[in-house]
Amino acid sequence: MAVDCQASRESTRTGTGRPGPSRGTVLLFALASGSAVANVYFAQPLLATLGRSFGVGQGAVGALVTVTQIGYGLGLFLLVPLGDRLDRRKLITTQSALLAAVLVALGTASGVPMLLASAAAVGFLAVVTQSLVAYAAALAGPDRRGTVVGQVTSGVVLGILLARTVSGLLSDLAGWRSVYLGSAAVTLLLAGALHRALPRDSEPRARVPYRRLLRSTVTLFLREPVPRTRALYALLVFAAFSTLWSCVALPLSEAPYALSHTAIGAFGLVGAAGALAAAPAGRLHDRGHARATTGAALALLVLSWVPLALTGRSLWALAAGAIVLDLAVQAVHVTNQSAIYAHRPDAGSRVIGGYMMFYSAGSALGALASTSLYAAAGWGAVCALGAGFSVLALALWGLTAA
């Protein structure tokens, strides 16, 4: 009770009179979200090490990344919508505690079957990130929602970007198991902090049967223009995003650059600029400029492919294009999440979870298409593909009102 009273005193008031989250609580949301989503990406720089550890080829152990992503997709559909039915505080803390447990199982796995099963469970439970975003949006109220979503999304972006760096560093220092065991300890500490700091979720809940809850998630995107249009933006902009970042290591590892894996990974940190776009985009949404922000960001996304096409001539061109692309993508992403939650706050967890499925589909599409196209036609064709996804998103913006 004392914690709830303190949170109430520290919070600001929204336009609806609902207590909004304090700065400390928003920071905790961002830390917990970034920490959870990082677990999905830890394995990527560890595949060679894991292959040696378990005596299998890199191709076989590469299934670790695949099953983690499959688990994440299932979690988006099966777990995140529960936030519209259950107490979000209990759901988030329970999910975080379970995530810590399966991270221990992954970090102590002695065989490939346990490794893959634990990785799938990690992906499934790591969607607590989206539950946190939905709860932060619910606590903020309409006049601060975009700002708060932007701040929490900054944590998500940094978690994704730093995951590979942290994973490689810990693995070099103490072995690959330390990555997951260390993350388990951090996740458990954050679960305790969330349990203490988050207010009780006192919103009334409709006792919708679980099957109907899942069916309604699909219905929301089929029937309602705002979630559907914003989800299509997500599919296209993250296809463009993944077109760059899933493929850029290939030209950088070849002549004339022939960069090392470490240098290529460090170069990817220019994507941290994307986190800088999140909070301003959220504030612009709160001021009623969601459509204009989206259009401007999509125009920047199209333009970013001009310097990116010059990657073969200049690393500075690649850096400039990557910064512009990441700023544009994150601005659209934050505006999307704020807009769909504002449209259906009564179904906030369902619209956030469903939206992220389009995000994941776009990321997978860009990764698959870009790597295949690079092998067949080179970097210029990859840039044309990314620009094509970007132009389609801008055309969709011009043809719709959402």
Side-chain angles (χ1 to χ4, degrees):
M1 182 65 72
V3 172
D4 292 338
C5 293
Q6 181 182 3
S8 178
R9 285 195 299 270
E10 290 178 351
S11 65
T12 58
R13 290 275 168 180
T14 68
T16 62
R18 175 192 299 166
S22 67
R23 290 183 179 179
T25 302
V26 173
L27 177 60
L28 179 59
F29 270 116
L31 287 172
S33 297
S35 175
V37 78
N39 292 298
V40 178
Y41 298 92
F42 279 149
Q44 292 183 357
L46 303 179
L47 295 183
T49 301
L50 288 167
R52 291 192 296 269
S53 179
F54 288 90
V56 297
Q58 290 187 31
V61 82
L64 185 72
V65 175
T66 302
V67 299
T68 304
Q69 292 291 345
I70 291 172
Y72 194 79
L74 289 172
L76 288 172
F77 184 65
L78 298 174
L79 277 185
V80 177
L82 286 172
D84 292 332
R85 189 174 188 268
L86 305 176
D87 183 322
R88 289 189 180 103
R89 176 173 175 257
K90 290 182 179 178
L91 179 66
I92 287 168
T93 54
T94 300
Q95 197 172 330
S96 297
L98 290 173
L99 177 58
V102 296
L103 284 166
V104 171
L106 180 54
T108 57
S110 57
V112 173
M114 176 59 74
L115 181 77
L116 296 178
S118 301
V122 166
F124 186 70
L125 292 164
V127 297
V128 69
T129 296
Q130 308 312 322
S131 299
L132 285 160
V133 172
Y135 195 22
L139 290 175
D143 60 337
R144 286 188 64 216
R145 182 169 293 134
T147 301
V148 170
V149 168
Q151 291 167 342
V152 176
T153 300
S154 295
V156 176
V157 174
L158 291 173
I160 293 171
L161 290 171
L162 295 177
R164 299 171 184 88
T165 303
V166 170
S167 177
L169 179 61
L170 284 177
S171 180
D172 287 342
L173 290 175
W176 72 266
R177 296 182 188 276
S178 69
V179 176
Y180 294 102
L181 295 177
S183 182
V186 171
T187 301
L188 194 59
L189 286 172
L190 287 170
L194 289 166
H195 180 74
R196 292 184 60 191
L198 296 186
R200 289 184 175 86
D201 190 3
S202 59
E203 290 186 4
R205 291 284 188 271
R207 302 303 297 175
V208 181
Y210 180 61
R211 185 177 298 177
R212 189 186 303 171
L213 190 75
L214 298 182
R215 194 162 54 239
S216 70
T217 303
V218 177
T219 303
L220 280 169
F221 289 88
L222 289 176
R223 295 183 178 176
E224 301 194 19
V226 171
R228 183 172 63 246
T229 301
R230 290 287 169 176
L232 289 173
Y233 287 150
L235 189 149
L236 292 168
V237 300
F238 281 100
F241 179 86
S242 187
T243 293
L244 172 65
W245 291 113
S246 296
C247 190
V248 72
L250 299 178
L252 292 182
S253 63
E254 298 171 353
Y257 301 120
L259 298 181
S260 67
H261 291 133
T262 300
I264 293 171
F267 195 88
L269 290 177
V270 298
L276 302 177
R283 287 194 292 271
L284 287 169
H285 172 273
D286 292 341
R287 295 170 185 169
H289 303 306
R291 177 167 168 75
T293 301
T294 302
L298 290 174
L300 285 176
L301 184 61
V302 172
L303 292 174
S304 70
W305 291 99
V306 175
L308 289 172
L310 302 176
T311 293
R313 301 179 185 177
S314 170
L315 287 178
W316 288 108
L318 172 59
I323 289 171
V324 174
L325 180 140
D326 284 357
L327 284 167
V329 168
Q330 293 307 324
V332 175
H333 184 42
V334 170
T335 307
N336 283 345
Q337 291 183 97
S338 302
I340 61 175
Y341 195 99
H343 178 72
R344 285 298 303 270
D346 60 308
S349 293
R350 279 169 283 172
V351 293
I352 293 292
Y355 166 84
M356 288 300 297
M357 293 182 71
F358 284 82
Y359 164 111
S360 297
S363 296
L365 172 63
L368 179 63
S370 63
T371 51
S372 300
L373 191 60
Y374 183 81
W379 181 249
V382 170
C383 290
L385 174 69
F389 286 133
S390 307
V391 169
L392 282 175
L394 184 60
L396 177 65
W397 175 84
L399 293 171
T400 60

